[in-house]
C-alpha cells in the first residue's frame, strides 16, 4: 500500500525569508489547535516545503537527496523518522494513494 | 516545540492570523482580519511593523468568541469597557500568540447599527493568504477606507497612513472611498482624517471626533463623549470614566500594575490638564 503525506488543515507556516531580509532557511510551523510553534531548519525545512502538494515517501526522499546532493538511501531513514514524528504530532496526515 | 521568545514576533503575528481564522471556522464565527499585516502593502507603506493582530468580530458572535479565547488560554488584558473611550475593543494575550485586539465594532463606522455595518463589510470581503491560510479581510476599498477612518482618531501630524494613501491613490479612488463612506455611515470620521471635520458641525458625534482629530481642551472631548450617550445611565457612566482612573489603561502605559500613588497622580493630573487647557 502506498501512502501520500500532506500538511494537516490545522497547520500553518511562515518562511523566514518572507519576514526577514536575511534567510537562514528556517520555517516556522504552527499547530493551530494546540497553539504550538515549531522551528524547522535543514532537512526538516526541506521536507515541509516539499509538501506543497501531497507526496509519497519516495518522492520526498528524492527531494531531500537532491537538496543535499546525497544518495536517497542515505537520507531515507531520517526522512522516514521525521515524517512519522510529524504524523504523530498531527502536523501531517497520511492517506492512501488512489 | 519552540519557546515563544525564540519565534520572531513577525512570524508569531502572521501565524496568529491563521490561528484566529481556523478557530472561527471551526466554530462558525465570522471575523474580518483588519489593519496590520492583514491589510499589508495594499494600504500601508512597505516595512511598516505590527506588534499585534486585530480582528473585527460579527457583533452577535462576540460573546461566544471571547468565551472560546479564554477557554483556549487567552488572558483578557483590557475589557471592552476599559479598553478605550469607544468601548470597542478588548486586548487579549496568549503566551504563544502574543497580543490581539478583538474589535466588536470599528469606531467611525455605522454608529447606530453595528450589525449592519459588519454585514456590509462582510458581504464584500475577500480572502488573503496569511501564513498560507486564506483569511477573511475587507475588500481593498473597504480596507483603505478603514485605514483613513482610523486616522480620523489621530491629530494631523499622526495621520501618516492617510498621507501614504494620498501619495498614490487617484481622485477617482478617493471619490469611490467617499461614496463607500456614505454607504457605511462613516463620513464624519472620514472627513476628520482629511481635516474637514467642521463640515459636520452640529452632528451628533462631531465634538467627540473633533476632540480626537484636533488639539482642543480636554473638556471638549468630555462633552463629546457625554453627547454620544443617549441614556442617563450611559451619561453617568461616561462621567464616572472621565473622573475615575482606568487602571487597565494605566497598567498598559506603565508596564506594571499601578501603585496607589501612581493612580492618584493620574487622577489629579487630569485636573491640571483641564486648567492648563491642553491635551
Amino acid at each position: 500500500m502506498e501512502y501520500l503525506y500532506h500538511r494537516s488543515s490545522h497547520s500553518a507556516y511562515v518562511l523566514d525569508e518572507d519576514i526577514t531580509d536575511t534567510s537562514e532557511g528556517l520555517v516556522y510551523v504552527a499547530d493551530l489547535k494546540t497553539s504550538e510553534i515549531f522551528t524547522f531548519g535543514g532537512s526538516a525545512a526541506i521536507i515541509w516545503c516539499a509538501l506543497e502538494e501531497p507526496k509519497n515517501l519516495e518522492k520526498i526522499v528524492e527531494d531531500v537527496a537532491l537538496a543535499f546532493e546525497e544518495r536517497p538511501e542515505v537520507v531515507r531513514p531520517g526522512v522516514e523518522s521525521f515524517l512519522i514524528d510529524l504524523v504523530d504530532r498531527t502536523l501531517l496526515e497520511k492517506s492512501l494513494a488512489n | 516545540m519552540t519557546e515563544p521568545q525564540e519565534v520572531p514576533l513577525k512570524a508569531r503575528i502572521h501565524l496568529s492570523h491563521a490561528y484566529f481564522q481556523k478557530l472561527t471556522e471551526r466554530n462558525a464565527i465570522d471575523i474580518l482580519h483588519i489593519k496590520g499585516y492583514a491589510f499589508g502593502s495594499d494600504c500601508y507603506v512597505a516595512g511598516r511593523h505590527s506588534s499585534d493582530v486585530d480582528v473585527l468580530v460579527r457583533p452577535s458572535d462576540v460573546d461566544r468568541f471571547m468565551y472560546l479565547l479564554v477557554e483556549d488560554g487567552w488572558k483578557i488584558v483590557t475589557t471592552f469597557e476599559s479598553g478605550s473611550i469607544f468601548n470597542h475593543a478588548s486586548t487579549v494575550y496568549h503566551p504563544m500568540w502574543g497580543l490581539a485586539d478583538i474589535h466588536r465594532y470599528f469606531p467611525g463606522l455605522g454608529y447606530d447599527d453595528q450589525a449592519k455595518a459588519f454585514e456590509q463589510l462582510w458581504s464584500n470581503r475577500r480572502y488573503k493568504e496569511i501564513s498560507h491560510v486564506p483569511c477573511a479581510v475587507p475588500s481593498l476599498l473597504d480596507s483603505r477606507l478603514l485605514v483613513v477612518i482610523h486616522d480620523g482618531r489621530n491629530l494631523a501630524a499622526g495621520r501618516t497612513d492617510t498621507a501614504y494613501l494620498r501619495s498614490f491613490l487617484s481622485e477617482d479612488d478617493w471619490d469611490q472611498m467617499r461614496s463607500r463612506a456614505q454607504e457605511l455611515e462613516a463620513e464624519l470620521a472620514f472627513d476628520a482624517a482629511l481635516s474637514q471635520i467642521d463640515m459636520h458641525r452640529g452632528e451628533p458625534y462631531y465634538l467627540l471626533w473633533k476632540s480626537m482629530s484636533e488639539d482642543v481642551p480636554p473638556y471638549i472631548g468630555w462633552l463629546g463623549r457625554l453627547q454620544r450617550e443617549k441614556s442617563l445611565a450611559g451619561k453617568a457612566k461616561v462621567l464616572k470614566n472621565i473622573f475615575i482612573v482606568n487602571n487597565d489603561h494605566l497598567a498598559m502605559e506603565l508596564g506594571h500594575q499601578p501603585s496607589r500613588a501612581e493612580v492618584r497622580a493620574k487622577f489629579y493630573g487630569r485636573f491640571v490638564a483641564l486648567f492648563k487647557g491642553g491635551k
Side-chain angles (χ1 to χ4, degrees):
Chain A
M1 280 190 292
E2 186 182 70
Y3 290 99
L4 292 179
Y5 294 88
H6 56 98
R7 297 170 189 153
S8 72
S9 59
H10 58 82
S11 69
Y13 70 98
V14 172
L15 304 176
D16 72 343
E17 68 189 39
D18 292 335
I19 58 168
T20 60
D21 292 328
T22 54
S23 172
E24 295 174 41
L26 299 178
V27 186
Y28 301 99
V29 177
D31 184 328
L32 302 178
K33 276 189 179 172
T34 63
S35 295
E36 292 174 293
I37 299 177
F38 303 89
T39 306
F40 294 170
S43 58
I46 289 167
I47 291 169
W48 184 266
C49 290
L51 289 164
E52 276 298 314
E53 55 191 10
K55 283 182 182 169
N56 60 26
L57 173 63
E58 294 313 315
K59 187 70 185 76
I60 298 168
V61 166
E62 199 180 293
D63 289 343
V64 174
L66 189 65
F68 286 97
E69 295 179 358
E70 272 288 1
R71 287 173 290 132
E73 54 269 30
V74 169
V75 305
R76 187 191 173 96
V79 171
E80 212 165 354
S81 166
F82 185 63
L83 289 174
I84 289 170
D85 185 43
L86 291 190
V87 170
D88 278 346
R89 292 179 188 275
T90 71
L91 283 172
L92 288 187
E93 289 168 6
K94 210 167 93 165
S95 55
L96 279 171
N98 290 335
Chain B
M1 186 186 84
T2 309
E3 292 301 316
Q5 62 271 20
E6 290 168 357
V7 180
L9 179 63
K10 198 169 177 181
R12 277 200 283 152
I13 294 173
H14 277 82
L15 290 167
S16 181
H17 277 287
Y19 164 86
F20 281 115
Q21 183 66 30
K22 289 294 182 180
L23 177 75
T24 52
E25 282 175 3
R26 286 199 300 273
N27 292 281
I29 287 171
D30 293 337
I31 63 166
L32 290 165
H33 301 251
I34 59 174
K35 300 163 69 181
Y37 298 128
F39 286 0
S41 56
D42 290 341
C43 304
Y44 296 124
V45 65
R48 190 182 190 280
H49 291 296
S50 282
S51 56
D52 61 12
V53 165
D54 289 85
V55 295
L56 178 65
V57 187
R58 183 181 289 281
S60 55
D61 290 340
V62 167
D63 288 346
R64 201 157 51 92
F65 184 55
M66 295 303 288
Y67 171 81
L68 287 169
L69 290 183
V70 170
E71 285 293 293
D72 211 28
W74 291 81
K75 181 186 160 197
I76 296 177
V77 177
T78 63
T79 64
F80 290 110
E81 289 73 23
S82 67
S84 81
I85 61 169
F86 289 104
N87 304 329
H88 73 288
S90 171
T91 299
V92 294
Y93 172 78
H94 189 282
M96 180 55 79
W97 305 117
L99 287 168
D101 280 339
I102 311 302
H103 297 245
R104 57 182 177 182
Y105 73 92
F106 199 90
L109 210 69
Y111 292 102
D112 294 321
D113 191 342
Q114 297 303 330
K116 178 184 167 191
F118 182 91
E119 183 57 37
Q120 285 175 299
L121 294 177
W122 179 257
S123 60
N124 280 13
R125 72 191 181 282
R126 54 185 169 144
Y127 284 85
K128 207 170 175 182
E129 279 217 344
I130 305 175
S131 300
H132 303 91
V133 169
C135 295
V137 301
S139 68
L140 180 58
L141 175 62
D142 288 349
S143 296
R144 288 171 174 167
L145 179 59
L146 290 180
V147 167
V148 174
I149 289 169
H150 188 263
D151 253 0
R153 290 188 251 161
N154 294 327
L155 297 179
R159 295 180 207 145
T160 50
D161 294 328
T162 301
Y164 172 68
L165 291 175
R166 276 189 193 274
S167 71
F168 69 93
L169 291 181
S170 68
E171 284 294 321
D172 276 347
D173 291 327
W174 284 99
D175 287 343
Q176 278 184 45
M177 256 202 284
R178 180 169 288 282
S179 292
R180 186 59 173 157
Q182 285 168 354
E183 287 173 22
L184 293 170
E185 295 180 273
E187 281 188 282
L188 176 62
F190 185 72
D191 283 320
L194 301 180
S195 301
Q196 296 171 1
I197 190 168
D198 287 338
M199 288 165 46
H200 298 271
R201 193 184 292 272
E203 288 181 21
Y205 303 104
Y206 164 75
L207 276 183
L208 178 62
W209 282 84
K210 178 131 179 122
S211 71
M212 289 184 295
S213 58
E214 295 181 10
D215 195 4
V216 298
Y219 70 83
I220 299 292
W222 298 348
L223 273 173
R225 288 165 67 183
L226 282 167
Q227 275 182 347
R228 188 177 66 137
E229 295 299 328
K230 296 180 174 58
S231 69
L232 266 177
K235 291 181 193 295
K237 200 171 176 186
V238 167
L239 277 173
K240 178 191 158 218
N241 288 339
I242 286 170
F243 291 107
I244 306 296
V245 172
N246 184 326
N247 280 2
D248 288 345
H249 252 226
L250 187 55
M252 284 182 81
E253 269 178 41
L254 297 173
H256 58 258
Q257 282 303 314
S259 66
R260 282 188 191 176
E262 284 164 334
V263 172
R264 264 199 306 273
K266 184 75 175 177
F267 178 76
Y268 289 115
R270 291 183 175 181
F271 295 96
V272 170
L274 174 63
F275 287 124
K276 280 187 179 170
K279 275 202 177 284

